[in-house]
Amino acid sequence: MDSFVNQMDSINPRPSKFSLANRKRKAHPDSPCVLLCTRAPGMSSHAGEVCLPGGRNDPAESDEDAALREAEEEIGLSKKNVTVLTLLPQSLSTGNVSVRPVVGFVTNSSFVPTLNPAEVHDTFVVPLEMFLKQQGYSFRDTEFTSAGKTNSIRVHYFQWEDKKIWGLTAAVLIQTAELAFGATAPFPKKPPGPGGMDITDIAGELGFTELKLVKPSSRL
């Protein structure tokens, strides 16, 4: 199965989107894989970090249309080669960006990315099932404050060769993998105790004002 994911920002007047394309690896033709990007070094935010392709909605543009357009602009993935499957629940990033993942599949098994060098440094493919395994997994628990109330979220990290996949990108891929395989991640997705949340739970906490690290990265 090939798949495509888009993320949307609904806080700003022009929502920001990120998208993810999945395709099969030649070595594992029956295994769903995800195509990820490394952001270009000249980007104004998160330069050099692993991400899902994407950008900002045009006025009156739907989530699906923006996802398809941005994927084509950034990695040359034509919308003719994508079938959208579903939208995941809205999430909130630490940058106060509300995100709507859209999941689908890439129908062209021979697709080769054509990169926009202003935005994408490179792309790489990982097996979707890795987001349901403890191997290469770690986390950080982070405190955030909203309207005087303090909660904590678990930020997930996955190491793939020399690439670190973390934060909202990792959380979206955990959700996608759980749906695709009908399984549950073998690690806790929330910190223990009252107020513990997964990063995908805080879409309603649009007014949080501070993030504070309270626990170092811990490998499970």
Side-chain angles (χ1 to χ4, degrees):
M1 178 182 68
D2 300 334
S3 59
F4 172 88
V5 171
N6 173 73
Q7 304 178 343
M8 161 192 146
D9 168 7
S10 62
I11 296 176
N12 298 319
R14 296 182 60 198
S16 170
K17 291 198 171 212
F18 309 90
S19 50
L20 160 139
N22 294 4
R23 62 190 178 120
K24 299 172 185 174
R25 294 179 296 171
K26 292 181 180 179
H28 300 278
D30 296 323
S31 176
C33 293
V34 56
L35 176 63
L36 293 169
C37 299
T38 303
R39 291 172 65 87
M43 296 293 289
S44 60
S45 62
H46 304 289
E49 293 189 359
V50 173
C51 67
L52 307 173
R56 190 173 293 273
N57 287 54
D58 286 340
E61 188 175 39
S62 72
D63 298 342
E64 293 183 14
D65 287 344
L68 295 169
R69 174 183 55 77
E70 288 289 344
E72 185 162 12
E73 290 176 0
E74 292 193 359
I75 60 173
L77 179 60
S78 172
K79 64 181 180 181
K80 296 179 181 179
N81 294 323
V82 177
T83 300
V84 174
L85 298 177
T86 189
L87 278 73
L88 297 180
Q90 185 171 298
S91 302
L92 189 69
S93 77
T94 56
N96 214 22
V97 175
S98 183
V99 177
R100 176 76 70 181
V102 181
V103 182
F105 65 90
V106 177
T107 57
N108 180 3
S109 60
S110 61
F111 166 68
V112 176
T114 301
L115 308 185
N116 177 350
E119 299 185 57
V120 180
H121 175 66
D122 64 12
T123 62
F124 62 100
V125 176
V126 301
L128 184 59
E129 64 186 351
M130 72 170 280
F131 300 100
L132 296 179
K133 295 183 177 181
Q134 291 184 328
Q135 182 178 2
Y137 172 74
S138 60
F139 68 88
R140 286 186 178 184
D141 289 343
T142 299
E143 217 171 63
F144 74 93
T145 302
S146 176
K149 182 180 178 181
T150 299
N151 292 301
S152 59
I153 57 173
R154 179 149 293 178
V155 181
H156 307 286
Y157 292 77
F158 293 89
Q159 191 71 37
W160 175 259
E161 299 178 348
D162 63 339
K163 306 290 188 181
K164 181 182 292 184
I165 305 163
W166 70 285
L168 190 56
T169 299
V172 167
L173 294 177
I174 292 170
Q175 284 186 303
T176 304
E178 288 183 328
L179 287 173
F181 293 102
T184 301
F187 42 79
K189 291 185 288 184
K190 302 179 182 182
M197 306 174 74
D198 178 38
I199 196 170
T200 57
D201 292 333
I202 60 174
E205 300 286 346
L206 304 184
F208 78 81
T209 57
E210 180 182 0
L211 285 173
K212 177 183 178 183
L213 181 65
V214 295
K215 187 176 182 179
S217 178
S218 303
R219 185 168 299 280
L220 300 182

